[in-house]
Amino acid sequence: MSTARPDTARGNPTLTLAAVCLAVLVLPASLTGTSVALPDISATLDVGLAPLQWVVNAYNLAFACFMLGCGSLADILGRRRMFAAGTVLFALSSLASTVTSSIVVLDVSRALAGLGAAAVMTAGAAMLATTFEGAAQARAFAILGSSAGAGLALGPSTAGALVNAFGWRAVFLSHLVVAVIVLFAVPAMPESKNPAATKVDWAGTTTFTLSLFCLMFAIVRGPQRGWTSAVTLLLFAAAAVLMALFAVAEQRQRQPMFQLSLLGQGRFMAVSLIPVALSFSFVCLLVLLPTYFTSAAGMSINASGATMMLLTLPVLVAPIVVSKLVKNGLSTRLVLTLSLVVAAVGAGWLTLISPDVSVAALAAPLLLLGVSMGMTAGLVDGVAITSVEPAQAGAAAGMFNTMRLAGEAFAIAVMSAVLLNSTRSHIADGLPGVPGARSADAGALADRVISGDLAGAAEAFAGSAGSGFRSLLTGSYTDGLHLVLWVVVAICAASAVLVGVMLREPAPQAPPAEPAPAEPAPAEAAPAKAAL
């Protein structure tokens, strides 16, 4: 038995929570902030859409794919050790991203940063699950969720300011600085392992990672190579087969890293669905809108960042208000369901967006979308963890975060593909009406427009044809974004209905009526009364 004092064995709980939350703050910011830097990266490194997309996709894909595997390793090797290793890898990858001038190195570095982020997230959540108990644990996970929401919210505005002042490399440098700060707190963190975890679930880790990779790669590849091409269809088929093999592998594990039994718990699954649905609205718009504002609407980076604050600031304010309302008796089911309704209304309202729309007209829909995310930030994490048995808290945290991160990666890939496909289709339809533009490649033009180089694509034509050509590109881009927004409306509206039903409390059942007892004999009356 250890002779260490209890507080030493547990490390410093307050410092542990602060360090984990600071790390988790920068992880989503590394996704949304990087999207703001993409046009500057494209201009500096002179790259097309496909390699440019992987600056974001490689990070998000690796982050989602390796969550479960890193969680298993943390249980075996130690949560603090895995957290430290992930932070070091994230820091070194950010350093490489800061200094490189090669898009290939940048993409690889971003993938390694995603792997480090997966280790940080899983190990950090596991440390909180073992450091805190009961109500304190629920509060810790609520704070963790608020930190993740704040990171998503602050990423674009912070990155915009850095890019405008110092260039895109400053974004990755800021990630490095935060990672180094977090490392100073590692010695004060508790170390723990799962005694029951003795080996890595390689079968589950491999099949899950490859399945998600094949799915994401097919979605990214589809718009550029064709949805019905043999390779794209083969990737989709491989993803389905590998996911089926993953389910089989987990059922055969004595200590599965992904507890499939949690999939049967309606309340947990309903809560897990909410961040996935909001990934299609809030998270995707954080990635897609900055490029539209700077290229189609002609905003400066600073103006784009200021406009995006209408979307992000409510995420910092709404959780405080919602927390007080819930404490005063407001139903969490109502709050979570209403958040999806608000997202659907905001996305529908935002379809008024166009290159010449005023910021004042955009304010209300952007604020609504931010409020929808803020209503769940912090709340949804705590509800997810407390909706299962205490013994399943760690597994639930891992599954919840895996579903959230996989949902974000999937949503960004899908919505980017929808935007690219729609923009390309509208450009192709409009090219015959522009003098001298019949021979233009609609696919290549759409790639340049979506990557933020609309002005460069429009410069291919001069004079009156150039003016009409630019209008075609801008209008096609806007129509593509409108389609994305209507898809968001459909997803959030359907999810609101589903979540509302799944979170509905079962009606209390009346106790079965007891048969009327026969008239007791006088001698039996007393014993019968005592038994009641």
Side-chain angles (χ1 to χ4, degrees):
M1 181 179 295
S2 173
T3 59
R5 294 183 306 172
D7 59 342
T8 304
R10 293 171 56 231
N12 187 318
T14 302
L15 189 57
T16 298
L17 177 61
V20 171
C21 288
L22 179 60
V24 169
L25 177 73
V26 79
L27 301 185
S30 184
L31 166 67
T32 57
T34 301
S35 65
V36 176
L38 290 182
D40 198 39
I41 294 174
S42 176
T44 303
L45 302 185
D46 191 23
V47 295
L49 179 63
L52 189 66
Q53 278 187 321
W54 282 106
V55 176
V56 172
N57 289 335
Y59 175 79
N60 218 21
L61 180 59
F63 199 169
C65 286
F66 290 104
M67 284 281 289
L68 293 179
C70 288
S72 295
L73 283 174
D75 287 341
I76 297 171
L77 302 177
R79 282 76 180 250
R80 182 178 68 179
R81 183 176 299 173
M82 182 60 63
F83 182 87
T87 306
V88 169
L89 179 58
F90 184 83
L92 292 177
S93 301
S94 298
L95 176 61
S97 299
T98 302
V99 301
T100 187
S101 295
S102 165
I103 189 62
V104 175
V105 174
L106 180 58
D107 287 342
V108 172
S109 298
R110 293 292 291 159
L112 292 175
L115 173 57
V120 170
M121 176 67 84
T122 53
M127 279 195 293
L128 295 186
T130 55
T131 301
F132 299 95
E133 297 179 354
Q137 184 184 88
R139 285 194 298 272
F141 277 102
I143 296 171
L144 184 70
S146 297
S147 300
L152 282 172
L154 295 174
S157 56
T158 304
L162 289 172
V163 171
N164 189 64
F166 307 106
W168 62 267
R169 299 178 190 277
V171 175
F172 300 114
L173 181 60
S174 68
H175 302 162
L176 170 62
V177 172
V178 174
V180 171
I181 293 173
V182 170
L183 283 173
F184 280 108
V186 169
M189 294 179 172
E191 181 60 288
S192 62
K193 299 179 182 180
N194 181 359
T198 56
K199 62 179 181 178
V200 178
D201 179 8
W202 291 114
T205 301
T206 303
T207 51
F208 179 83
T209 301
L210 290 178
S211 175
L212 191 56
F213 176 80
C214 289
L215 176 62
M216 297 293 298
F217 191 57
I219 294 172
V220 172
R221 188 182 187 280
Q224 299 169 357
R225 303 296 182 181
W227 292 104
T228 58
S229 68
V231 175
T232 303
L233 294 176
L234 183 62
L235 286 169
F236 278 123
V241 171
L242 287 165
M243 189 54 68
L245 292 175
F246 169 70
V248 172
E250 292 307 284
Q251 288 178 335
R252 294 184 175 183
Q253 287 290 328
R254 186 171 60 181
Q255 292 289 335
M257 62 179 181
F258 195 94
Q259 293 190 13
L260 297 178
S261 61
L262 289 175
L263 298 178
Q265 298 191 25
R267 185 173 178 83
F268 174 76
M269 289 306 300
V271 176
S272 299
L273 175 64
I274 293 168
V276 174
L278 291 178
S279 293
F280 282 89
S281 59
F282 183 83
V283 177
C284 283
L285 292 177
L286 282 176
V287 174
L288 300 179
L289 284 181
T291 303
Y292 181 86
F293 286 149
T294 55
S295 61
M299 292 184 183
S300 66
I301 292 178
N302 278 344
S304 173
T307 305
M308 289 298 293
M309 290 181 70
L310 293 169
L311 179 66
T312 58
L313 284 180
V315 181
L316 306 178
V317 178
I320 301 173
V321 178
V322 169
S323 176
K324 292 182 179 179
L325 292 175
V326 170
K327 286 181 180 179
N328 290 331
L330 185 64
S331 166
T332 55
R333 177 195 174 208
L334 176 61
V335 172
L336 297 178
T337 304
L338 189 59
S339 69
L340 295 168
V341 175
V342 172
V345 173
W349 196 346
L350 191 59
T351 55
L352 59 79
I353 193 171
S354 67
D356 56 356
V357 70
S358 67
V359 175
L362 294 176
L366 289 175
L367 288 170
L368 278 180
L369 286 162
V371 168
S372 70
M373 186 67 179
M375 292 172 69
T376 68
L379 177 63
V380 71
D381 297 74
V383 174
I385 303 305
T386 56
S387 66
V388 301
E389 295 295 327
Q392 295 179 302
M399 284 184 62
F400 178 78
N401 284 308
T402 297
M403 293 176 67
R404 171 160 55 190
L405 266 296
E408 289 179 3
F410 179 74
I412 292 171
V414 168
M415 291 310 203
S416 298
V418 169
L419 179 60
L420 180 59
N421 267 343
S422 179
T423 303
R424 175 189 297 157
S425 177
H426 282 94
I427 291 175
D429 291 342
L431 282 176
V434 179
R438 288 178 178 271
S439 61
D441 184 346
L445 289 170
D447 284 354
R448 295 186 69 177
V449 169
I450 301 303
S451 64
D453 190 23
L454 190 151
E459 286 176 1
F461 295 84
S464 59
S467 176
F469 188 61
R470 183 181 180 89
S471 297
L472 170 64
L473 297 182
T474 304
S476 299
Y477 192 3
T478 302
D479 289 339
L481 187 57
H482 286 171
L483 178 60
V484 166
L485 291 168
W486 285 121
V487 172
V488 170
V489 172
I491 290 174
C492 290
S495 299
V497 175
L498 185 60
V499 168
V501 172
M502 294 176 69
L503 289 179
R504 184 171 53 193
E505 296 291 341
Q509 296 182 353
E514 296 183 3
E519 187 70 24
E524 297 174 343
K529 185 175 182 180
L532 293 176

